[in-house]
Amino acid sequence: MKLSIAEGFYLIALDDEEGRILAAAEKTVVPGVVAACILELYLLKKIKLDGGNISVVDTIGTGNGILDNVLKKLKTGPSITDQIKTLSGKFKDIQEDLNALLVQRGILKKEETKLLWIPLSDRMDNANYAFEQEIRNNLKAIVFKSAKPSPAFTILFSLIDDCNILSEVFRDKDELIDAEKVGKEIIERSGVDEDLANALRMLKDLFE
């Protein structure tokens, strides 16, 4: 992905027309973003996951301010679910940080009448929407073309499923049924390592 996992998750959680968080994601967007950051830090080898417990192994920044803020707050020892709960309370403004970052990068646009707005054009020369469209296309390929998801897209798909916003990507009822079936098996199907798989299973319990 050209975006961080947290950025991709956040774009899907935004209502494209209203420019605000989807009602279904209002309670889960912050822990979802925090979870995405932690798991991306795992992919970047900044942390280890052993039985779902976090060990910080590299504190050098990634260059992404949001990821780095989460990295600074992580502790060695507690479980991923406990740390998500703790950090979700400390990062209540993480949405504003994401808004600012995505506006700065030209992916989101502010308007007086809307908090945020993502252009609905499908034209790929529209840089603003192209980022999100690419994410949506990859998620659909996983469902409809049996594409093997990368670890990053496994995390993203799983989190979108956990937070009950698959319908934002799969709006047709039959498509959503297919996507939900994939959501139940994506961890095993993707072939991610057991530490990541175990953490993703723990998150499914957290978001129930």
Side-chain angles (χ1 to χ4, degrees):
M1 280 196 301
K2 296 176 182 177
L3 303 176
S4 72
I5 300 170
E7 291 164 354
F9 171 80
Y10 187 69
L11 285 177
I12 298 298
L14 275 176
D15 185 306
D16 288 353
E17 295 183 4
E18 298 296 328
R20 61 183 179 221
I21 297 299
L22 295 165
E26 285 179 352
K27 294 182 179 179
T28 57
V29 65
V30 172
V33 166
V34 172
C37 289
I38 292 174
L39 294 176
E40 182 144 10
L41 290 169
Y42 172 76
L43 295 184
L44 294 172
K45 303 187 184 305
K46 298 294 182 181
I47 64 170
K48 288 183 179 179
L49 292 166
D50 183 9
N53 294 326
I54 291 175
S55 296
V56 180
V57 295
D58 182 359
T59 58
I60 297 173
T62 65
N64 181 300
I66 292 170
L67 280 175
D68 291 345
N69 285 339
V70 171
L71 178 59
K72 289 174 186 176
K73 296 290 185 180
L74 287 176
K75 299 182 183 300
T76 292
S79 70
I80 184 171
T81 52
D82 285 344
Q83 300 215 47
I84 289 170
K85 292 175 185 177
T86 299
L87 294 185
S88 294
K90 293 182 178 180
F91 287 119
K92 292 180 179 179
D93 295 330
I94 201 166
Q95 294 179 61
E96 294 304 317
D97 294 338
L98 277 164
N99 291 344
L101 176 63
L102 291 168
V103 168
Q104 181 183 11
R105 293 174 64 180
I107 297 168
L108 293 183
K109 179 181 177 183
K110 280 197 172 186
E111 286 195 339
E112 291 183 9
T113 56
K114 299 177 182 178
L115 172 63
L116 286 165
W117 175 64
I118 306 171
L120 294 175
S121 169
D122 287 333
R123 295 174 303 161
M124 294 309 285
D125 60 347
N126 184 333
N128 293 323
Y129 194 65
F131 288 96
E132 185 178 357
Q133 188 61 52
E134 182 179 10
I135 292 170
R136 289 172 179 268
N137 289 344
N138 276 280
L139 294 173
K140 289 181 178 181
I142 292 168
V143 174
F144 304 126
K145 298 181 180 179
S146 298
K148 184 176 180 180
S150 66
F153 269 100
T154 300
I155 293 167
L156 181 60
F157 197 109
S158 189
L159 284 174
I160 290 171
D161 183 30
D162 295 346
C163 296
N164 298 312
I165 53 174
L166 273 176
S167 59
E168 174 61 14
V169 179
F170 303 93
R171 296 180 178 177
D172 178 84
K173 185 177 180 180
D174 290 335
E175 289 186 355
L176 179 59
I177 291 172
D178 290 340
E180 288 173 341
K181 289 179 182 176
V182 171
K184 292 178 181 179
E185 61 187 32
I186 193 166
I187 297 172
E188 286 70 26
R189 171 175 151 183
S190 65
V192 295
D193 67 69
E194 189 54 34
D195 287 330
L196 178 54
N198 185 49
L200 288 170
R201 293 186 194 107
M202 292 175 69
L203 294 189
K204 287 195 175 296
D205 292 335
L206 174 68
F207 286 106
E208 277 187 351

